[in-house]
Amino acid sequence: LYKGGITQMKSLEDLKKIREAAKNNMAMRSDAKQKYRVVVGMATCGIAAGARPVLNALVEEVADKNLPATVLQTGCIGMCTLEPIVEVFDRDDNKTTYVLVDAKKAKEIADRHLKNDEIIDEYTVGHYKK
């Protein structure tokens, strides 16, 4: 099982995705400025639920505010009813999963979590599974 989100390699495209995810993860570890890796679920379910504006908002916030994060996209995260989903990984690979994210929440995640290291509990998957 590979942590980059692909469990079975079925094509050259899957291999390229695994390679890119590994390169990004290694780059984050070697770049002292990068504290976070932010992954947005961009499978059909995520896109249909509004993940594209979420991805755009995160990319813009990270770039505009020079936040210590790399924003990536992935396929299905596996919780379609809670899309759009944003996963934030820290340097130690600890994961925070934000669910039902919209562009406004994405900007707040960038400001509070990526900038100020504050997890927004009310947006996490744990809040919705209670």
Side-chain angles (χ1 to χ4, degrees), residues 115-130:
K115 183 179 178 186
N116 296 320
D117 304 315
E118 175 190 350
I119 294 173
I120 309 169
D121 288 324
E122 61 267 24
Y123 297 166
T124 64
V125 69
H127 177 78
Y128 290 92
K129 287 195 171 188
K130 288 181 181 178

Side-chain angles (χ1 to χ4, degrees), residues 35-54:
K35 290 171 65 176
Y36 296 108
R37 178 171 38 102
V38 182
V39 180
V40 180
M42 293 290 289
T44 306
C45 52
I47 293 169
R52 194 169 310 283
V54 170

Side-chain angles (χ1 to χ4, degrees), residues 27-99:
M28 186 180 112
R29 289 181 182 158
S30 64
D31 186 348
K33 296 181 295 185
Q34 299 303 313
K35 290 171 65 176
Y36 296 108
R37 178 171 38 102
V38 182
V39 180
V40 180
M42 293 290 289
T44 306
C45 52
I47 293 169
R52 194 169 310 283
V54 170
L55 176 69
N56 292 341
L58 287 165
V59 168
E60 289 170 10
E61 290 292 304
V62 166
D64 291 348
K65 296 179 179 174
N66 198 26
L67 299 176
T70 301
V71 180
L72 307 165
Q73 56 185 346
T74 192
C76 184
I77 294 175
M79 298 180 286
C80 299
T81 59
L82 296 176
E83 291 283 359
I85 297 174
V86 174
E87 295 180 323
V88 179
F89 295 86
D90 66 15
R91 288 184 157 281
D92 297 323
D93 233 15
N94 296 309
K95 176 175 66 172
T96 303
T97 302
Y98 292 107
V99 297

